[in-house]
Amino acid sequence: MATGALWHEKYMWWDTRHAGVFIPAGGWIEPDEHVENPRTKRRLKNLLDACGLSEQLHWLTPRPATVDELCRVHDRAYVERMKALSDDDGGDAGELTPFGPGGFEIAALGAGGAIVAAEAVRDRVVDNAYAIIRPPGHHAERDRGRGFCMFGNAAIAARHLRAGGLSRIAIVDWDVHHGNGTQQAFWDDPSVLTVSLHQDRYYPHETGAAEERGEGAGHGSNINIPLPPGAGTGAYEYAFDRVVVPALERFRPEFVVVTSGFDSSALDPLGRQMLHSEGYRRLTRRMLDVAGSVAGGRLLGLHEGGYSPGYVPFCGLAVYEELSGIRTEVEDPFLDFLAAMGGQELAEHQKTLIDGLAAFVDDVPAA
Amino acid sequence: MATGALWHEKYMWWDTRHAGVFIPAGGWIEPDEHVENPRTKRRLKNLLDACGLSEQLHWLTPRPATVDELCRVHDRAYVERMKALSDDDGGDAGELTPFGPGGFEIAALGAGGAIVAAEAVRDRVVDNAYAIIRPPGHHAERDRGRGFCMFGNAAIAARHLRAGGLSRIAIVDWDVHHGNGTQQAFWDDPSVLTVSLHQDRYYPHETGAAEERGEGAGHGSNINIPLPPGAGTGAYEYAFDRVVVPALERFRPEFVVVTSGFDSSALDPLGRQMLHSEGYRRLTRRMLDVAGSVAGGRLLGLHEGGYSPGYVPFCGLAVYEELSGIRTEVEDPFLDFLAAMGGQELAEHQKTLIDGLAAFVDDVPAA
Amino acid sequence: MATGALWHEKYMWWDTRHAGVFIPAGGWIEPDEHVENPRTKRRLKNLLDACGLSEQLHWLTPRPATVDELCRVHDRAYVERMKALSDDDGGDAGELTPFGPGGFEIAALGAGGAIVAAEAVRDRVVDNAYAIIRPPGHHAERDRGRGFCMFGNAAIAARHLRAGGLSRIAIVDWDVHHGNGTQQAFWDDPSVLTVSLHQDRYYPHETGAAEERGEGAGHGSNINIPLPPGAGTGAYEYAFDRVVVPALERFRPEFVVVTSGFDSSALDPLGRQMLHSEGYRRLTRRMLDVAGSVAGGRLLGLHEGGYSPGYVPFCGLAVYEELSGIRTEVEDPFLDFLAAMGGQELAEHQKTLIDGLAAFVDDVPAA
Amino acid sequence: MATGALWHEKYMWWDTRHAGVFIPAGGWIEPDEHVENPRTKRRLKNLLDACGLSEQLHWLTPRPATVDELCRVHDRAYVERMKALSDDDGGDAGELTPFGPGGFEIAALGAGGAIVAAEAVRDRVVDNAYAIIRPPGHHAERDRGRGFCMFGNAAIAARHLRAGGLSRIAIVDWDVHHGNGTQQAFWDDPSVLTVSLHQDRYYPHETGAAEERGEGAGHGSNINIPLPPGAGTGAYEYAFDRVVVPALERFRPEFVVVTSGFDSSALDPLGRQMLHSEGYRRLTRRMLDVAGSVAGGRLLGLHEGGYSPGYVPFCGLAVYEELSGIRTEVEDPFLDFLAAMGGQELAEHQKTLIDGLAAFVDDVPAA
Ligand SMILES: [Zn+2]
Ligand SMILES: [Zn+2]
Ligand SMILES: [Zn+2]
Ligand SMILES: [Zn+2]
């Protein structure tokens, strides 16, 4: 067997149009490249190809998600509105989510890619997998796109797995932004544990607080870990060791999804955190270990954010290497520099915060 | 009178070649745009032009610094080596400082721009000024270029002012990186107070510690404020109120230079700090006030880093607005979003750190 | 006096969105930079600034054209539709003319720039002038945008001059595409002589034939010179000597406008012609001479197309140099290469064609 | 069997640095993207992937050419000099051929790709093949790089086939520039027929005349068809029917190579010719037919120039479709527009020229 990978050229054709950083051009914003553009994802794929790792991965082919599959998470009216806009000239899916003509088909292919990859992991076609999907999904809400996301890829895949018979799924989100869409989708659903590590009050500002823990039967099955800006590898590792891994050990999912943003890296233009490739590698190791011990090793990474065209490739490669157990000859040329940055070690105020969150583990519904 | 501005089209022709972020292309780095490219600076100039503020500024014309002027800070052998490389096909000025043919002339025009702007402020041709210079200068050392910098623009201008008769000059550096070159130039020189606020142990890793305070007669006239990553507007303002402004009030310079990097902004791909345009505006206000009270208002900003093509323009505009007292109709479209980020307020651990540094003010040589 | 120049930063903010060459992205077209983008115009301005010629030009400041001024050439319903689209999210002005929010204001500023420059030349504020306007204008028709053009800048300026009292105006169009909009505007108007040199049956395919000569009172006051692809400097010079200049000498305009596209250059990605900077210089010389002899020297260039970011600057500089009589130290680094290309000399089949068109001169309404 | 295709991600990492069009940045050339950049090639690959044709092609994996293989065409001193420059910081291979560190390895992988693809066609692993190689090769001379080319990929592959036992090879070059390097390599060698169609006196200026026909035993086995600028599909088809195909029918090669530049397209920024995708398709058809009748169908395309990032993909797709006999659902969105351009039909002066060259066929060494 091998580690699965998923990619489709059409993902790169999702058109976020011109912007200043992430605000659409117009007014006092001179048109420029949108920060969510194909370069970051394509350059990761390019590095996999250039170094030869691609040849050792098992490549999966996405199919479009059906409207019914999309509607497991989204309102039908929203889905149809997106299709209509896409058939015309494109538009904005809601908040900060511009797209061009044909965008619906690309986003549906993204959600379908998450489904295909999930099936391959579930059915042991591959050991585990990482899907380089675009557009991202974790901000998309039931009835509107947000934050560059049209459809909730991970939530749709999780619902698909549930419909296919799995009863317990965990989604861990290490994107620098809050996984608000994923949280919303499973807010009162105890069968899907959602854990999001994110920069405190960044995006969306109004969600992601530690106090948001799910509702009704779902209480306790949503954990937010809002890290203060400037969190380094030490803080992330500590949060995994104290909260994320224990929560999964208690929940005992049959399947683990990581919604993976490389915008928690030290060179991201949006996030203020400081992970480097070795940090992502270590977090992946922890997820492999816990998935191995509770979920038969069923681990799937789904690509979310990450806006450094130069550094995303090395973070992504580290994750693929760790998933596959293959170490290529590539050495991250930024690693020594980033690892030596002040603030990589766990700071006292970070420790205090994380220790406080550890109590939530006890409220996670045990298997 | 008016606020001075300085710009030369040739500054934009400084060629940093292809890179991944800031490491030159080659090996496992697929060629891409270098993070230090003309877009950020040009887009600032463009916004000034588009909104009409340009017409209300007093534009100054740079001239090349002479070799002798450069040698007030740099070794002659280094200057000559740069000239020779530039006359050939370009190369690297030392560490992470690629440049193309003709780069020497551009860098000399940059240093000369700093001189011209300094003279205009000194001689009250303008009230104050901000010079959009490229390449930056504060990392350049006596005998080598570092961190995208070939010549120490600010240090050269300060030496020029000293040679012209001024006896006390202060340089405040709010670039996210340590002003190592400026520190080096005036290490044992009590006539130039150098203060650098920067992200702790970022670049260069080995300089910028609080313990570095100058030597011999210069002891006490160098202050480093290494802020932990994730510092927001609150931390910056507190550091100015507790350390920077008091230090200047004690030193009573005749002329204040700000080496201004907008890479301390919340959207910078290199820095991890969180200033927004309003933060830069407030820091500018403080510098205006202190320059007004001790230096006859003589305040000069010299552009250093800043790598967000979308956000640098709004930070720079805010500085020009504050310097000139003119409020344009432009509203920073990112401001509400960035101001609401978690971590903008002063945090306890930041306060403790800054309070500890306040004691250094007493060792600043008083006028 | 001096040569006038006109530019506005906002012209560069006209947003043609993503495309393949000139077809909007979507379907099988992967999003990329539109061929009509700011680079070509900005780089011309940059070169003027870098070499110092800018300082010797008289810079004019555009104002927006009023709706009434636009309606001298366009239907009011079209103008209002453009305003409404622009106030919303932008759209397409008709055929291949995408624009973003706020596009109306930029296009109106373009047309207004043509008016301002025309007045400056008419009133002898400047000797002559060249306005770097964007978006271009010569394809815009009465009731729809076409070919990247929203409003007919030159036609609007000519109508403005007519309204201001001038009775005879000539417009010579050396853009590689047919000046269909200009032709339409003055189709039956003998007071404005319109001459277009263009690549035979290129864009629009259905207009630009030699047989199109104006109607009614306007018969004879429209001349099309459809040059076969591959025409070099020799063919252009011959066409000017045999047709363009004689036509103007007969018509004796009081004011000469050149709608100037540098897409007739040898490095243009759209046109197939082969002008180089020296060719444009010589054509400018001819226009200066004829304007000098019949129109008191009143000559105005209005920028239209030109899609080589690398070569437009040198063509434009040559025109400015010739207009101003100032020769900068810049030497076109492409000139020797392009001048030596096969096909620069007048070919027999080109001569035959042009000789055939010379007869049209006799039908030009004599002054 | 299937049509072969060859590609390596590293080809895209060949770094031509900043330039204006094709002249390296510096002096009065503001740094910009070099016209020979990865976009054109990558976008062709992307389109193949996006439309699904990739899955129906047989992908071949390149290996580096050995130094000995390179030296079948190049001087050892030149090869070693390239290696040394590449191990350092890159440089220029001779004339207009900038490259970055590691460029030697990429160029050797390019030449090796040509070898691998040639073997696959020779050995009937595939029916025929097209290799998307970068950097191009046909301008490289024995002892220097020229025109973006370091090593003569096609010549090296042909020599490899000869060394492997084939006795007669034909190379047809439809790149818009003269195949000077290929001509030089086989100047006195009657075993390799070289035919180049190119724009008359374009690049190199001093080679490519019809009078250059080979020397000694090689006389008659080199045919140049210098087409005047502005040649359309009609002229190209006529030249194939009157000269290229008859020459091959007479020569009866065992293997046919096409050095394929898509810079003969109607949207190329360098060439002035007017082929469209349907034109390239028809030329490919002719090559398939003649290779079928004389060479057992052994036909290999090697990518050379082509500088329109928007149009190269559609030209390349047409060639792949024709080679493979698979018609995808993609329709060239530019085709109707380009096919309707004036000058696509064969013109009289073109016919006369081509008819004159037809006589050279009789001097081709018959099998
Ligand atoms: Zn994110
Ligand atoms: Zn900096
Ligand atoms: Zn045009
Ligand atoms: Zn070529």
Side-chain angles (χ1 to χ4, degrees), chain D residues 136 138-139 147-149 173-178 202-203 260-264 268 270-271 304-307:
Chain D
H138 71 147
H139 293 311
F148 325 153
C149 304
D173 188 322
W174 66 41
D175 186 281
V176 82
H177 303 100
H178 180 229
Y202 188 21
Y203 183 78
S260 163
F262 295 125
D263 45 8
S264 300
D268 198 76
L270 298 189
E304 297 283 351
Y307 306 100

Side-chain angles (χ1 to χ4, degrees), chain C residues 209-234:
Chain C
E211 292 68 36
E212 300 166 12
R213 303 179 58 194
E215 214 166 47
H219 180 78
S221 68
N222 184 70
I223 297 180
N224 283 325
I225 306 177
L227 296 170
T233 303

Side-chain angles (χ1 to χ4, degrees), chain C residues 20-23 28-33 39 43 46-47 50-51 199-203 205 229-230 265-274 308-311 314 329-331 333-334 336-337 340-343 345 349, chain D residues 20-23 28-33 39 43 46-47 50-51 199-203 205 229-230 265-274 308-311 314 329-331 333-334 336-337 340-343 345 349:
Chain C
V21 198
F22 56 79
I23 301 186
W28 295 110
I29 297 183
E30 181 187 352
D32 201 356
E33 190 185 37
R39 275 198 297 157
R43 285 172 57 99
N46 294 350
L47 182 58
C51 76
Q199 189 176 317
D200 182 33
R201 287 166 288 151
Y202 187 21
Y203 182 79
H205 284 315
S265 95
L267 291 170
D268 197 78
L270 299 189
R272 303 289 86 187
Q273 310 300 41
M274 308 203 300
S308 171
Y311 200 51
F314 295 101
E329 59 179 305
V330 178
E331 299 202 35
F334 297 91
D336 289 348
F337 180 81
M341 283 174 78
E345 63 285 3
H349 67 283
Chain D
V21 198
F22 55 80
I23 301 186
W28 295 111
I29 296 183
E30 182 186 350
D32 201 358
E33 191 184 34
R39 275 197 297 156
R43 284 174 57 100
N46 293 350
L47 181 59
C51 76
Q199 189 177 317
D200 181 32
R201 287 164 290 150
Y202 188 21
Y203 183 78
H205 283 315
S265 95
L267 291 170
D268 198 76
L270 298 189
R272 303 291 83 187
Q273 310 300 40
M274 306 203 302
S308 170
Y311 200 51
F314 295 100
E329 59 177 306
V330 178
E331 299 202 36
F334 297 91
D336 289 348
F337 180 81
M341 282 172 79
E345 64 284 4
H349 67 283

Side-chain angles (χ1 to χ4, degrees), chain A residues 49-321:
Chain A
D49 289 352
C51 76
L53 185 58
S54 284
E55 292 167 35
Q56 298 178 271
L57 302 173
H58 181 112
W59 289 90
L60 303 164
T61 304
R63 61 157 176 89
T66 65
V67 169
D68 284 347
E69 287 168 339
L70 298 173
C71 290
R72 281 183 179 139
V73 169
H74 299 285
D75 289 347
R76 193 162 298 261
Y78 168 64
V79 172
E80 285 167 357
R81 188 154 48 85
M82 291 302 101
K83 171 69 174 146
L85 271 173
S86 168
D87 285 350
D88 187 17
D89 192 40
D92 195 301
E95 179 183 87
L96 296 174
T97 310
F99 65 99
F104 176 86
E105 279 70 28
I106 300 174
L109 194 66
I115 289 173
V116 164
E119 289 179 341
V121 170
R122 180 195 62 193
D123 302 340
R124 297 200 179 285
V125 175
V126 293
D127 283 320
N128 49 45
Y130 190 93
I132 307 175
I133 285 174
R134 184 166 178 263
H138 72 146
H139 292 312
E141 298 182 348
R142 191 166 299 121
D143 59 357
R144 65 166 170 164
R146 290 188 82 178
F148 325 154
C149 303
M150 185 180 278
F151 299 129
N153 305 318
I156 290 164
R159 281 271 153 76
H160 183 82
L161 290 175
R162 289 279 292 115
L166 292 200
S167 31
R168 298 175 76 78
I169 296 161
I171 303 177
V172 175
D173 188 321
W174 66 41
D175 185 281
V176 83
H177 303 100
H178 180 230
N180 60 297
T182 316
Q183 168 176 301
Q184 185 196 56
F186 304 107
W187 187 239
D188 54 6
D189 181 349
S191 71
V192 179
L193 173 68
T194 49
V195 183
S196 177
L197 302 101
H198 47 268
Q199 189 176 317
D200 181 32
R201 287 166 288 149
Y202 188 21
Y203 183 80
H205 283 315
E206 78 281 9
T207 69
E211 293 68 35
E212 300 165 12
R213 302 179 58 194
E215 213 165 49
H219 181 79
S221 68
N222 184 71
I223 297 179
N224 282 325
I225 306 176
L227 297 170
T233 304
Y236 271 88
E237 291 188 79
Y238 191 71
F240 269 68
D241 291 341
R242 287 284 283 153
V243 189
V244 182
V245 170
L248 265 69
E249 285 173 342
R250 181 175 168 90
F251 185 72
R252 300 192 63 82
E254 296 160 292
F255 196 107
V256 179
V257 176
V258 175
T259 39
S260 164
F262 294 124
D263 44 10
S264 301
S265 94
L267 291 170
D268 198 77
L270 299 188
R272 303 291 82 188
Q273 310 300 41
M274 308 203 301
L275 285 177
H276 44 52
S277 62
E278 195 59 31
Y280 277 108
R281 188 187 302 275
R282 291 185 207 137
L283 301 187
T284 304
R285 181 73 255 154
R286 281 165 172 79
M287 296 312 294
L288 275 169
D289 287 346
V290 71
S293 70
V294 305
R298 287 184 178 85
L299 178 63
L300 168 64
L302 296 176
H303 200 80
E304 298 283 351
Y307 306 101
S308 170
Y311 199 51
V312 163
F314 295 100
C315 296
L317 176 65
V319 170
Y320 271 111
E321 286 184 337

Side-chain angles (χ1 to χ4, degrees), chain A residues 341-361:
Chain A
M341 281 173 79
Q344 285 294 10
E345 64 285 3
L346 177 67
E348 199 53 39
H349 67 283
Q350 295 162 345
K351 180 171 185 306
T352 306
L353 173 87
I354 293 165
D355 286 342
L357 299 174
F360 291 173
V361 172

